[in-house]
Amino acid sequence: MAGFAPRVQYLAGFRCPLGGLAAGKPRVLCRGAEIFVSTGSELVYVYDQEGNLLTAVFRFPGRVWHLELSALRGVLYVLCAQKGVYCVSLDRASRSVSQDDGDDSDKNDEDSEDGEPPCPVIPVDPDACILPDATLCAFVVLDDVLVTLAQGPAQWKVQLFRCHRPGEDARPPGQIGEVELSTSSPLAGSLGEPTAPRFLPVLCCVSPPGCSGLCGRMPGSGGFTLERALFGLLFGVDASFLESPVILCGLPDGQLCCVVLKTLVTSRLAPGDPKALVKILHHLEEPVVSIGALRTESSGENVEDTHPDCLVALGRHGRVLAVKASWDEAGDPVPELQEYRLPGPVLCAACGGGSRVYHSTPSDLCVVDLARGGAPQDPVQPDRGPGSLPSLLCPASVSVCSVVTLSVLSEVPEGGTRLLALSARGRLMTCSLDLSSEAPCPARATVVNTGQKIKELLSGIGTVSERVSSLKKAVDQRNRALVCLNEAMNVSCVLLASREGPRPISCTTATAWSRAQLQDVLTATCRLQNGSGFSLDRGWTWCVQVRPRSRASDPDSAGSAATYTIPVDRLGPGDQREVTLPLGPGEDGAPDLPVTVSCALHYSLREVVGGALAPPDSSEDPSSQGCPPDMLPEQDGVCLPLSEHTVDVLQCLRFPGLAAPPTQAPSPRSPAGDPVDTFLGARLGLGGEPAGPASLRAKFPPPSVATIKVSAGLLRAALGDGQPAGVSLGCATLQWLLAENSALDVVRARLLSSVRGVAPDGTDLHLVVREVTVTHLCAAGPMQAVEIQVESSSLASLCQAHHAVIGRLQVSCGQLRGE
């Protein structure tokens, strides 16, 4: 890399959002000494290189996506997001600014330090919108023709309009052509409306030699001319014969397609197959970032055709396509195509007047020479045939990082280049590259030279500092992700190693009744307790699933499970967290019992590792922390079950008769009877029938009864140490059945063997446990057993209680078999 000497000069700084400017939206254009800068916001700045100050600031109605300059018309075309194309006269704007400047030259320096526009802001009138269209994503101006690329519901659409000079006609431009482009990825959202693309398409105009279509266009503003041989090979005989400009489109899905301009105009007069108007040249399989042209061969004696002889397209992830014309053995022209791979992601790129391509990544600004195959003036070059493209590209570093937009200002005769760039931090700079092979002889140091060298060293230190800061941010993010992954691995190993015994991270469930909106509601309180030595930090989510029983009439009703996700922000060792969830009522006003409450911990790999796996692109939107889809598995998380608890009717029984009566002051009125009996008695008394309690019982059938007999020996073995000394087997069995009920302490204190409670649906339920002798089951003689009797006036409550008792007996028998 001999003779490579970059010099950076900072011109101005512009306001940028937190995290830096996003690549793809900012633009810089140059017209003489004026530089037009757009940072992707609503503002467009005009900077004067000779005076080193801002001369004007335009405020548009929306965020600016693209700029175009027309030298002949003296106008600036601007595309605003979700608005359309605006046209501003530069001569009129300069006159209005000169009238408002006054003597504010001293104020400019002070305001620039505060990040505010140091000159008057000129609001652009909405009437300046010459083409209102919310779907426009790119455009190019060709004399009096405006070519746009719009995002349709399912396809991209190229449209041609006849535009008017500002102030000549207030009518909107008339459409003179339209064609749809095929796409390989859906463009519309869920409602069929187009969503804003993450990467904007690239639109440019290519003309053959001698075509006047690019007359008056500024260099680097979206158009170029190709040599005649390459133009005919790429776009066909029709385009060459008609000498028509060609619209070249680079789409976000990677397609590179073209449309012949004159063919598109005449298609309205003679309609045909619209697909025949579009030609797909190549597919980069990644978003197209830049399209340009180069001159890779010296002109020699043929001084007439000095136009670029190579078409270059760059993709987002570093894929490069280069096409030029070659000749076979018979002397016929044939296309020569080469694909390369450069370091990515590519933020922006530009082609110089020679054979060099400049492209920017988050960490560096690089240059490659397609005539030499590597760095300019690199003595070691890959072998290649005469006049052919190199087989390998070796980029050379310029040591400037995070450049989001780039423009080539000029090519000096000695082989150097001046670049105009805008960094992700909003700094406008010029970069002078001296690519000459012979270094000048050292001269006597002067004060001016010494000061210039100091400025260059300070500029180099600033760029290196930005590069180190960007790389350090990426390294810190990956280190934090590794720490979180290590902590998650430790937690997973602890939980998986303690499947049989008590778990260090446990989840318990308790049920209770509460009053909400004049209605009794059954709730479950889940408690997550961290008894391990590790913390549950970012990425962990506590998932609780409530799954009701399936009805016999509807087997698919179990699919109506509700899952609650509770983010675990930070749960250190010894900490606990509670959440209370409703378990009912169901469709019939009562909870659907039994209900299974399952608790699990979920660790999201995408939330923790997604940002670290993504390329360290500091210029993109910091809110998009996504990573390429092939870097994570389909299941982007780890789920660790903690517990599964079944809530049945025995846990939900209420016993109002067991509660101790509250002490109240004696009432002066006589005690009233049961309000239900009083109401029913009054209603029956109106019919002339007796209203006493005996007559009421005669009106209703007797309650249903279910009896379960269990061997006393088997039940004692199941209870084990759960039967205290001096307590009958019947009392111990009832305590065992109501072990998870809130009334257990009262039942144990009173040594009850029968209890009457209220089921969740409001009906009475009577449990009676007694010791009996069974004589007809065993031939050896009578056998001691325990009879569990369930009595209820509701058949549903009876079945639920019977199912709960059977379930407890089955679990106990299963544990005895395991022992």
Side-chain angles (χ1 to χ4, degrees):
M1 207 163 61
F4 191 75
R7 292 182 302 170
V8 178
Q9 179 183 4
Y10 291 101
L11 303 179
F14 302 98
R15 182 186 302 174
C16 63
L18 183 65
L21 299 178
K25 307 297 191 303
R27 293 286 187 271
V28 289
L29 291 178
C30 185
R31 187 187 72 161
E34 290 182 330
I35 298 177
F36 297 84
V37 182
S38 168
T39 61
S41 64
E42 296 86 355
L43 301 179
V44 173
Y45 305 89
V46 183
Y47 181 83
D48 185 9
Q49 296 185 78
E50 296 178 351
N52 294 328
L53 49 83
L54 287 176
T55 58
V57 179
F58 297 98
R59 183 184 298 277
F60 287 86
R63 291 181 292 112
V64 176
W65 277 3
H66 191 62
L67 300 176
E68 286 280 349
L69 280 171
S70 177
L72 292 179
R73 294 172 176 266
V75 295
L76 175 68
Y77 295 93
V78 178
L79 172 61
C80 293
Q82 311 295 327
K83 299 293 183 181
V85 179
Y86 290 76
C87 183
V88 178
S89 176
L90 298 179
D91 297 335
R92 185 180 305 172
S94 61
R95 288 195 301 268
S96 62
V97 171
S98 61
Q99 296 174 2
D100 297 336
D101 278 346
D103 297 330
D104 294 341
S105 58
D106 297 337
K107 184 180 177 182
N108 290 347
D109 297 336
E110 299 177 0
D111 292 342
S112 61
E113 297 295 332
D114 299 335
E116 298 294 334
C119 60
V121 178
I122 305 174
V124 177
D125 193 88
D127 295 337
C129 183
I130 61 173
L131 184 59
D133 190 347
T135 63
L136 294 184
C137 295
F139 76 96
V140 65
V141 180
L142 190 64
D143 285 345
D144 58 347
V145 176
L146 178 65
V147 185
T148 64
L149 185 61
Q151 182 185 17
Q155 289 180 321
W156 295 96
K157 184 185 298 183
V158 176
Q159 296 174 317
L160 269 67
F161 298 91
R162 183 76 65 182
C163 57
H164 307 283
R165 188 180 180 90
E168 290 181 354
D169 199 339
R171 294 176 301 170
Q175 183 173 344
I176 58 176
E178 177 180 308
V179 67
E180 290 185 345
L181 308 179
S182 62
T183 181
S184 61
S185 58
L187 303 178
S190 58
L191 299 179
E193 298 180 355
T195 58
R198 183 182 178 187
F199 301 104
L200 292 179
V202 179
L203 196 66
C204 63
C205 181
V206 185
S207 296
C211 179
S212 61
L214 294 180
C215 182
R217 294 185 55 82
M218 301 302 299
S221 60
F224 49 85
T225 301
L226 288 179
E227 69 170 4
R228 195 171 302 276
L230 180 59
F231 186 87
L233 288 174
L234 287 176
F235 309 120
V237 180
D238 293 341
S240 300
F241 180 76
L242 295 173
E243 292 187 349
S244 168
V246 176
I247 304 302
L248 200 56
C249 307
L251 302 182
D253 63 353
Q255 288 191 76
L256 193 65
C257 51
C258 64
V259 180
V260 180
L261 190 63
K262 290 185 179 180
T263 307
L264 183 58
V265 173
T266 57
S267 64
R268 295 175 60 91
L269 303 177
D273 185 9
K275 296 182 179 179
L277 302 177
V278 181
K279 180 181 179 181
I280 298 178
L281 300 179
H282 196 72
H283 205 304
L284 286 179
E285 299 180 357
E286 58 188 55
V288 179
V289 173
S290 175
I291 302 175
L294 300 170
R295 181 72 186 179
T296 61
E297 298 181 8
S298 59
S299 302
E301 298 180 356
N302 185 14
V303 296
E304 296 181 358
D305 195 354
T306 59
H307 299 290
D309 60 354
C310 181
L311 180 70
V312 181
L314 279 80
R316 170 69 177 177
H317 303 299
R319 181 170 293 181
V320 180
L321 170 70
V323 185
K324 67 174 299 184
S326 182
W327 282 263
D328 57 9
E329 298 178 355
D332 297 327
V334 292
E336 179 187 357
L337 185 146
Q338 283 281 359
E339 280 196 358
Y340 307 99
R341 176 67 72 175
L342 295 177
V346 177
L347 305 183
C348 61
C351 296
S355 58
R356 291 179 288 271
V357 178
Y358 308 91
H359 71 281
S360 171
T361 65
S363 59
D364 206 350
L365 176 63
C366 302
V367 54
V368 293
D369 195 333
L370 266 71
R372 306 174 183 272
Q377 302 300 335
D378 196 340
V380 181
Q381 301 294 341
D383 295 335
R384 63 188 181 96
S388 62
L389 291 171
S391 59
L392 181 65
L393 293 183
C394 302
S397 173
V398 185
S399 300
V400 179
C401 68
S402 298
V403 172
V404 294
T405 185
L406 193 64
S407 178
V408 179
L409 286 180
S410 61
E411 297 277 345
V412 297
E414 291 78 8
T417 305
R418 288 184 68 240
L419 303 178
L420 181 64
L422 183 68
S423 69
R425 297 189 178 182
R427 306 180 73 177
L428 181 65
M429 66 187 84
T430 59
C431 183
S432 300
L433 306 180
D434 185 9
L435 306 178
S436 60
S437 58
E438 297 181 1
C441 298
R444 178 178 296 180
T446 62
V447 177
V448 178
N449 293 338
T450 304
Q452 183 65 30
K453 289 182 179 180
I454 293 176
K455 290 181 179 180
E456 293 175 4
L457 290 175
L458 292 177
S459 299
I461 292 173
T463 57
V464 172
S465 175
E466 289 185 5
R467 183 179 180 186
V468 171
S469 176
S470 175
L471 294 177
K472 185 177 182 299
K473 179 180 177 182
V475 171
D476 292 341
Q477 188 176 16
R478 297 186 180 185
N479 288 339
R480 288 193 298 269
L482 288 176
V483 171
C484 294
L485 280 179
N486 183 50
E487 196 84 3
M489 182 66 68
N490 294 332
V491 172
S492 302
C493 293
V494 166
L495 287 176
L496 294 177
S498 57
R499 289 185 176 181
E500 301 297 334
R503 294 192 168 189
I505 301 178
S506 60
C507 183
T508 58
T509 304
T511 57
W513 287 91
S514 62
R515 191 75 174 173
Q517 298 180 356
L518 302 178
Q519 186 180 14
D520 291 335
V521 179
L522 180 63
T523 60
T525 301
C526 301
R527 180 181 292 108
L528 177 65
Q529 187 166 4
N530 184 9
S532 66
F534 307 102
S535 298
L536 302 180
D537 293 326
R538 184 171 66 96
W540 287 102
T541 304
W542 182 19
C543 302
V544 181
Q545 185 185 63
V546 178
R547 186 173 64 253
R549 64 178 175 85
S550 60
R551 300 182 180 88
S553 60
D554 188 11
D556 297 331
S557 61
S560 60
T563 302
Y564 304 88
T565 57
I566 302 96
V568 182
D569 295 332
R570 181 172 181 84
L571 191 67
D575 295 343
Q576 62 181 12
R577 192 156 298 167
E578 287 187 359
V579 61
T580 300
L581 307 173
L583 299 182
E587 297 179 357
D588 54 355
D592 294 332
L593 299 176
V595 175
T596 302
V597 181
S598 304
C599 298
L601 283 176
H602 181 270
Y603 187 77
S604 175
L605 293 175
R606 189 170 298 275
E607 179 182 354
V608 177
V609 191
L613 289 182
D617 190 352
S618 62
S619 65
E620 290 193 9
D621 188 2
S623 62
S624 58
Q625 294 288 340
C627 64
D630 55 345
M631 289 185 136
L632 284 177
E634 294 181 0
Q635 297 179 351
D636 57 345
V638 179
C639 187
L640 301 173
L642 294 178
S643 65
E644 186 172 288
H645 182 79
T646 301
V647 180
D648 54 24
V649 70
L650 294 180
Q651 303 176 32
C652 306
L653 287 177
R654 289 173 287 180
F655 304 98
L658 296 182
T663 57
Q664 298 179 354
S667 175
R669 296 180 298 178
S670 59
D674 187 11
V676 178
D677 291 340
T678 303
F679 174 77
L680 293 176
R683 298 300 297 173
L684 293 175
L686 294 176
E689 298 181 5
S695 63
L696 292 177
R697 295 189 184 94
K699 286 288 183 180
F700 298 96
S704 304
V705 179
T707 303
I708 306 169
K709 293 184 175 65
V710 189
S711 170
L714 181 63
L715 199 53
R716 286 192 183 93
L719 294 176
D721 298 336
Q723 182 180 4
V727 178
S728 64
L729 185 58
C731 295
T733 303
L734 184 60
Q735 296 173 16
W736 171 66
L737 293 175
L738 301 177
E740 295 178 294
N741 195 289
S742 58
L744 175 63
D745 295 335
V746 180
V747 174
R748 182 184 290 116
R750 298 186 184 183
L751 297 178
L752 299 176
S753 61
S754 65
V755 67
R756 185 180 298 275
V758 180
D761 59 355
T763 59
D764 292 340
L765 191 134
H766 190 198
L767 283 176
V768 180
V769 182
R770 62 172 70 93
E771 296 184 51
V772 296
T773 301
V774 180
T775 59
H776 60 281
L777 290 180
C778 184
M783 183 175 110
Q784 295 297 320
V786 174
E787 181 185 82
I788 303 174
Q789 179 177 306
V790 183
E791 177 182 338
S792 177
S793 59
S794 171
L795 187 59
S797 299
L798 179 72
C799 294
Q800 291 177 356
H802 184 271
H803 182 272
V805 173
I806 293 298
R808 281 165 169 71
L809 294 175
Q810 289 176 346
V811 172
S812 299
C813 293
Q815 293 176 352
L816 290 176
R817 291 194 192 99
E819 296 175 357

